[in-house]
Amino acid sequence: MTNETYDYDANCRHWPDVAGSFPVGTLEFEVTDPIRGSQYAPEPTVSRRLYVRGWYPAGNVTGHRRRPYFTGAEIDTVPVMSLQLLRQPPAALRNAVGLQSNAFVEAPPADGLFPVVVFNHGYLSYPAQHTALFEHLAANGYVVLSVGHPWESGGIVYPNGDAITGSPRILEDMMRIGQALGAMAAYAAPTLRAQLDAFRDYVKILRTTSAGRLAPVWRDDVYFVLDRLEENDVPAASSVAAIIDHERRGYMGKSFGAYIAGMLAQGDPRSRGVVHLDGGLWSYELADTELRTPFMTLGSYVWED
């Protein structure tokens, strides 16, 4: 496949409509954890600068513009690592700059308290990875927060315009994990017992890579964001913080982020459940564990009966 023959319009032809009781608002903000660093930055940092994008039930959206899937500033940064990992052209999503979503930028929130769902994207992906799903949830009465993990997301453009991309070291780790024979055995064995037996060897590989080291880091990123919002300690997000019902929390994730969602629910007594999208065991914390909340996993078998 060459760039000349690639159908750049195929990924960006139509944005799905949303149906629900509320219009959808969206905003982005950042919070900095001053006591935890980012070891995969080009020069390790002494703090963690977390990007957060939110979708929420909105009130009156008159006068507020719709948010495009990608802005012009984001298109050359945010999806590039994901596309590289998927062996797609760097500009595969270039036409998404003109693709208007259903969410209105910084629209006032609706009145009331709403449950919150926190999403973690896949490794080297980006916070807007499942925007259409987030809009659907927001239109039906949920606040959705998606966290960008610095240097471990594919790319981030902060609200002030600062841009960072994912670490090449993490891309190398992903390639290494994908080539490991233990990876297939850990997920493709026909019984749970066989998968757990294979996982013992596979976890040794994971522990030598970023995937085996960053699971608790991503978990703590989310807890930090939720703590700051519950204390209404994020001025840029104070209006949305005020409508979150922290007694009704849920966690959702994709791939590596799905594993993080499970970890978050295990450690949060206020969690009401987990939605696990195409995930797996990326570290040891949840191996052979009795889960404490409802847990819905969506994926597919890689073997046939």
Side-chain angles (χ1 to χ4, degrees):
M1 179 178 62
T2 66
N3 288 2
E4 289 74 21
T5 61
Y6 189 86
D7 185 356
Y8 289 98
D9 289 323
N11 299 316
C12 312
R13 284 182 179 144
H14 174 69
W15 191 259
D17 295 329
V18 67
S21 302
F22 300 93
V24 178
T26 185
L27 84 166
E28 54 186 344
F29 58 95
E30 64 175 88
V31 291
T32 297
D33 187 337
I35 65 172
R36 294 188 305 126
S38 296
Q39 61 177 310
Y40 288 95
E43 295 292 334
T45 67
V46 296
S47 62
R48 249 176 111 70
R49 187 181 176 191
L50 303 172
Y51 171 92
V52 186
R53 179 99 173 267
W55 293 259
Y56 53 90
N60 186 354
V61 299
T62 302
H64 293 266
R65 63 180 177 85
R66 289 180 184 247
R67 217 277 192 186
Y69 185 53
F70 288 125
T71 66
E74 291 169 336
I75 192 62
D76 293 324
T77 300
V78 172
V80 173
M81 274 285 192
S82 297
L83 293 170
Q84 186 175 352
L85 188 63
L86 296 171
R87 302 180 187 276
Q88 299 296 304
L93 296 175
R94 66 187 185 189
N95 291 348
V97 170
L99 198 59
Q100 298 298 309
S101 74
N102 297 299
F104 293 86
V105 177
E106 297 184 359
D111 294 332
L113 287 177
F114 302 93
V116 61
V117 177
V118 185
F119 178 81
N120 277 274
H121 56 70
Y123 229 26
L124 290 179
S125 191
Y126 49 90
Q129 182 181 13
H130 287 297
T131 293
L133 174 59
F134 304 155
E135 291 179 344
H136 173 77
L137 290 170
N140 287 277
Y142 292 84
V143 175
V144 182
L145 303 172
S146 186
V147 179
H149 309 276
W151 309 104
E152 300 135 23
S153 297
I156 293 172
V157 176
Y158 290 96
N160 73 346
D162 291 347
I164 61 174
T165 57
S167 168
R169 294 160 58 195
I170 290 180
L171 183 61
E172 292 170 4
D173 283 348
M174 291 297 293
M175 297 300 186
R176 180 182 172 196
I177 292 168
Q179 293 168 358
L181 294 177
M184 186 57 68
Y187 294 110
T191 67
L192 177 60
R193 182 72 264 164
Q195 291 175 41
L196 291 172
D197 289 342
F199 186 71
R200 287 199 303 265
D201 295 325
Y202 181 43
V203 76
K204 295 177 183 177
I205 299 172
L206 289 172
R207 286 174 177 161
T208 65
T209 71
S210 54
R213 298 171 181 167
L214 286 174
V217 176
W218 281 30
R219 175 200 61 198
D220 290 348
D221 285 347
V222 171
Y223 285 153
F224 182 80
V225 169
L226 286 172
D227 287 347
R228 297 286 72 73
L229 290 172
E230 187 172 18
E231 294 175 12
N232 209 348
D233 191 25
V234 186
S238 60
S239 62
V240 172
I243 68 169
I244 294 175
D245 181 356
H246 287 276
E247 297 302 318
R248 293 185 291 166
R249 291 179 177 176
Y251 296 101
M252 178 169 60
K254 167 74 173 179
S255 190
F256 181 75
Y259 181 81
I260 307 305
M263 288 180 63
L264 285 159
Q266 286 294 93
D268 184 353
R270 291 186 285 183
S271 173
R272 299 293 185 90
V274 180
V275 178
H276 180 270
L277 303 174
D278 195 25
L281 285 170
W282 286 88
S283 188
Y284 62 88
E285 292 88 353
L286 299 182
D288 205 16
T289 298
E290 183 175 342
L291 300 175
R292 54 168 297 277
T293 65
F295 191 102
M296 181 173 70
T297 183
L298 301 175
S300 62
Y301 288 107
V302 292
W303 63 85
E304 296 181 1
D305 293 331

